[in-house]
Amino acid sequence: MTDPVVAPSAAVRLTSLSHGGGCGCKIAPGVLSALLARSTPITAAFPNLLVGTETADDAAVYKLNDELAIVATTDFFMPIVDDPYDFGRIAATNALSDVYAMGGKPILALALVGMPINVLPHDVIAAVLRGGEDVCAAAGIPVAGGHSIDSVEPIYGLAAIGVVHPDRVKRNASARAGDVLVLGKPLGVGVLSAALKKDRLDAAGYRAMVDAATKLNTPGATLATLDGVHAMTDVTGFGLLGHTLEIARGAGLTACVRYADLPFLPGVEAFVADGVFTGASGRNWTSYGEGVTLGAGLPSVAQTLLTDPQTSGGLLIACSPDTVAEVLAIMHADGFADARVIGELDAGPARVEVV
């Protein structure tokens, strides 16, 4: 039997200070939709606002001129791991992913920091910040400022700014009938984070989780230059089904996902079968399950794995069939070995079917 991952030497485990972790902290999609329904749509009043809140897209996009648009996003959450440096890296990677998912290239970030100053040693907090800074350095951008507060629960993330050509913005709502769906990273980060909290994740499982969650979705900027790539998003807190459903509803199409073709992180299916998963999976299904059909013959763990909240998950790409080979070549060349075709989009009601 392998040894579980041991918490860092800090007196308090980071995950013990938060009621949730990573993208599993997100407000359930059904609740969020109800809250946003009370907001007044703003895109019509601002013609240069190319992307707002209308289709639950990954970031806002504002056109400055015919050649340049700004991509703006923010993302932050409570700890998903106990190692402070890894926490900072995961949170920063997750925040920058929204820029890449729009087809943009990040240019700078601002740190968002909430920490229980009298509970956590200052060197632990500094390690969180250093993790975020190192990820931004790998992305070629500075952490140019930010804001901090004394908080009961530890919180870290970024406000990220990027740029994109206005004609190359990749929305989550612009898929076309006949498009193929490509997924860039394996699923199961939420399950492994639940195993970590229960002291059941070994060192190899921890490393697989962190490696996946800290891999920058940099191919997004390159994929945006391909005419055959019609839509992109990243798979995060609402799970694969939730974000696929956003694509299907935005385009008014039926998405078909082939369960047998999905990549999973090692061990996650066994963990779910043994009752190890996050509460966010159930909340996700309650919020959008009516828009999903699960085919007969799927394994008993399928619903939980498909709704598992991904922290810093992979790109989900809708592209024409004749562009698939180029999309996969770009992904594989950048180290996304698990990138693969997982389904397609066809004319029909806006829903997801899993076969």
Side-chain angles (χ1 to χ4, degrees):
M1 180 177 178
T2 53
D3 294 328
V5 175
V6 178
S9 58
V12 181
R13 289 182 64 169
L14 286 177
T15 54
S16 72
L17 297 175
S18 60
H19 72 281
C23 285
C25 299
K26 280 189 172 183
I27 295 174
V31 176
L32 183 60
S33 295
L35 293 172
L36 292 177
R38 305 181 186 187
S39 301
T40 303
I42 58 174
T43 306
F46 298 92
N48 282 356
L49 182 61
L50 302 183
V51 182
T53 61
E54 293 76 17
T55 61
D57 226 318
D58 297 292
V61 182
Y62 191 89
K63 180 179 176 180
L64 297 179
N65 55 51
D66 290 343
E67 302 295 324
L68 187 66
I70 293 291
V71 183
T73 184
T74 184
D75 217 313
F76 54 88
F77 45 63
M78 279 95 70
I80 188 175
V81 295
D82 292 309
D83 185 286
Y85 181 72
D86 285 344
F87 170 39
R89 293 169 64 216
I90 292 169
T93 306
N94 181 73
L96 295 179
S97 182
D98 286 340
V99 176
Y100 294 124
M102 302 303 300
K105 181 179 180 180
I107 57 173
L108 65 85
L110 305 174
L112 305 173
V113 184
M115 294 288 164
I117 297 299
N118 295 325
V119 176
L120 287 177
H122 290 185
D123 61 340
V124 170
I125 298 173
V128 175
L129 302 183
R130 189 172 69 253
E133 291 164 357
D134 284 356
V135 162
C136 288
I141 67 170
V143 177
H147 184 65
S148 61
I149 61 169
D150 187 354
S151 171
V152 174
E153 294 182 290
I155 298 168
Y156 178 72
L158 301 175
I161 304 296
V163 293
V164 65
H165 192 287
D167 296 337
R168 294 299 183 185
V169 176
K170 299 301 177 182
R171 303 194 59 165
N172 67 355
S174 52
R176 303 177 187 177
D179 276 353
V180 172
L181 289 171
V182 175
L183 179 63
K185 290 185 185 182
L187 304 168
V189 170
V191 172
L192 295 187
S193 71
L196 177 67
K197 271 202 163 186
K198 294 177 180 290
D199 291 323
R200 294 183 58 178
L201 189 65
D202 63 18
Y206 178 81
R207 184 47 48 199
M209 177 180 71
V210 172
D211 285 350
T214 56
K215 187 163 183 58
L216 287 162
N217 282 322
T218 50
T222 303
L223 295 173
T225 67
L226 304 181
D227 291 336
V229 171
H230 300 140
M232 282 198 298
T233 189
D234 58 350
V235 180
T236 53
F238 300 155
L240 177 65
L241 286 182
H243 295 286
T244 304
L245 188 57
E246 288 176 344
I247 287 178
R249 285 174 171 168
L253 300 171
T254 296
C256 179
V257 173
R258 292 184 294 275
Y259 186 84
D261 292 336
L262 295 176
F264 293 105
L265 289 167
V268 297
E269 292 163 294
F271 274 130
V272 172
D274 201 26
V276 179
F277 49 86
T278 75
S281 291
R283 293 192 296 273
N284 281 342
W285 181 257
T286 299
S287 294
Y288 56 66
E290 79 287 346
V292 177
T293 300
L294 298 179
L298 294 177
S300 60
V301 298
Q303 179 179 309
T304 300
L305 287 170
L306 292 169
T307 55
D308 183 49
Q310 302 307 290
T311 299
S312 191
L315 293 174
L316 182 61
I317 305 147
C319 64
S320 61
D322 60 2
T323 310
V324 171
E326 190 171 4
V327 167
L328 290 175
I330 290 169
M331 297 294 291
H332 293 160
D334 207 9
F336 290 83
D338 290 296
R340 64 188 68 178
V341 173
I342 64 164
E344 57 274 328
L345 291 150
D346 293 302
R351 59 186 299 103
V352 178
E353 298 177 352
V354 184
V355 298

